[in-house]
Amino acid sequence: MNEEVKQMLQEIKTSVIVMMKNVWSVTELAMVLNISPSRVRHMVSDKVVPSYKQNGSVYFKREEIEAWQTANRSASMAELNANAATYCALSRIKPGKSAKR
């Protein structure tokens, strides 16, 4: 195999090993988030990302990072329309009509 293929296989192997772990280091989290380790350290110091410190090292729980990544969900247009229709039905306002004041 040529060097490029070997390098790609090594990167895949490293990625799989990291994703199987429950606790990540700064370097591993940087790889997962596709950002630099220094950016991760800035996020830790700004308390943007949930982290743990042990003996001067910073660690991250995979489950907490996944929850952090998915914390600010935006509703789809279908969900917004369904909520609006439900609100109108419960408020006895016909869709497309404004409430009288």
Side-chain angles (χ1 to χ4, degrees), residues 48-93:
V48 173
V49 63
S51 62
Y52 297 87
K53 290 187 181 180
Q54 183 73 27
N55 297 327
S57 297
V58 180
Y59 299 98
F60 310 90
K61 283 188 177 181
R62 181 181 48 137
E63 298 85 17
E64 291 178 356
I65 296 301
E66 289 170 348
W68 169 75
Q69 285 179 304
T70 59
N72 295 318
R73 183 178 183 275
S74 296
S76 69
M77 189 55 79
E79 289 171 318
L80 293 173
N81 288 336
N83 289 342
T86 301
Y87 175 80
C88 290
L90 294 176
S91 300
R92 297 188 178 168
I93 299 172

Side-chain angles (χ1 to χ4, degrees), residues 4 7-9 12 16 24 26 34 56 71-72 76-77 100:
E4 188 175 322
Q7 178 68 25
M8 289 175 62
L9 288 174
I12 291 169
V16 168
W24 293 330
V26 169
N34 197 27
N72 295 318
S76 69
M77 189 55 79
K100 293 182 180 176

